[in-house]
């Protein structure tokens, strides 16, 4: 039988999870604001890019953290289809958390646009040449991926709430610093 600590994520995993979650929400709002402005959107896009690079770096850090800190097992009461759904959703999250910022960096690079990182330093374009048409295509894919990501986050939140209120040991308590399973 697993004790409470073994049923929960490590404190490092919790920190990565919640910091990345907040940054994803902030980045979504920055993009939405910039998209709806008729003028003056440049600052919002600049911040959006900086936060995106931060998410990329933190996600890579989180993956490295996971190498030494395995995910706690789901309770035996969780049906196999929910286990597969959970693993699949988490896999998609990692694909999007890496793919969206990396794709945007590639798209910026194809447009020969460096990324200003919060005014602290400039991240140069990747050596991919220039192709404005391809840049726009990738930005379109980026926007679609981001929209899909928002829906997947909604599913993730609903699943966490479902398992929290069912009290089956697979809810929010596994990822909250002061939580209980």
């Amino acid at each position: 039988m697993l004790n409470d600590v073994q049923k929960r994520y490590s404190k490092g995993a919790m920190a990565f999870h919640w910091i990345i979650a907040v940054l994803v929400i902030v980045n979504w709002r920055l993009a939405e604001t910039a998209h709806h402005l008729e003028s003056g959107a440049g600052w919002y896009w600049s911040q959006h890019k900086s936060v995106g690079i931060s998410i990329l770096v933190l996600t890579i850090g989180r993956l490295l953290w996971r190498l030494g800190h395995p995910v706690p097992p789901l309770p035996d009461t969780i049906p196999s289809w929910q286990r597969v759904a959970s693993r699949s959703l988490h896999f998609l999250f990692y694909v999007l958390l890496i793919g969206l910022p990396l794709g945007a960096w590639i798209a910026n690079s194809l447009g020969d646009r460096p990324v200003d990182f919060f005014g602290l330093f400039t991240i140069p374009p990747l050596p991919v040449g220039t192709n404005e048409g391809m840049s726009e295509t990738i930005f379109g894919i980026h926007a679609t991926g981001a929209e899909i990501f928002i829906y997947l986050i909604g599913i993730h939140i609903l699943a966490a709430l479902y398992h929290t209120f069912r009290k089956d040991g697979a809810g929010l308590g596994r990822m909250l610093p002061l939580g209980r399973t």
Side-chain angles (χ1 to χ4, degrees):
M1 191 140 184
L2 298 174
N3 65 35
D4 192 49
V5 173
Q6 293 169 318
K7 293 178 187 176
R8 302 178 70 232
Y9 284 84
S10 68
K11 298 250 188 264
M14 290 180 200
F16 276 118
H17 176 275
W18 291 109
I19 292 167
I20 291 169
V22 167
L23 289 177
V24 166
I25 293 167
V26 166
N27 225 20
W28 168 49
R29 296 311 312 151
L30 285 167
E32 285 295 311
T33 300
H35 182 71
H36 290 96
L37 288 176
E38 291 184 21
S39 65
W43 181 87
Y44 291 94
W45 286 123
S46 179
Q47 300 309 300
H48 176 77
K49 293 173 188 181
S50 296
V51 172
I53 293 294
S54 301
I55 290 168
L56 175 61
V57 170
L58 287 167
T59 301
I60 291 168
R62 183 174 181 179
L63 284 170
L64 292 172
W65 178 266
R66 270 188 76 168
L67 292 174
H69 302 83
V71 174
L74 288 170
D76 294 336
T77 57
I78 305 300
S80 61
W81 73 267
Q82 289 180 9
R83 291 171 185 276
V84 170
S86 174
R87 281 190 215 106
S88 300
L89 185 62
H90 284 92
F91 175 78
L92 287 172
F93 278 168
Y94 283 113
V95 167
L96 291 167
L97 286 167
I98 291 171
L100 288 173
L102 189 56
W105 187 12
I106 292 168
N108 273 290
S109 298
L110 287 165
D112 198 29
R113 293 179 292 273
V115 175
D116 175 55
F117 190 77
F118 295 117
L120 299 173
F121 55 88
T122 300
I123 300 170
L126 295 166
V128 294
T130 56
N131 183 331
E132 196 61 45
M134 181 62 74
S135 174
E136 294 305 316
T137 298
I138 293 172
F139 276 130
I141 294 168
H142 176 83
T144 301
E147 189 172 339
I148 290 167
F149 194 20
I150 295 300
Y151 290 115
L152 293 176
I153 291 168
I155 291 168
H156 179 64
I157 292 168
L158 290 174
L161 291 173
Y162 170 80
H163 288 288
T164 298
F165 292 116
R166 276 204 52 201
K167 298 183 184 193
D168 60 11
L172 284 168
R174 290 167 45 94
M175 188 51 82
L176 289 174
L178 302 175
R180 292 190 142 151
T181 56

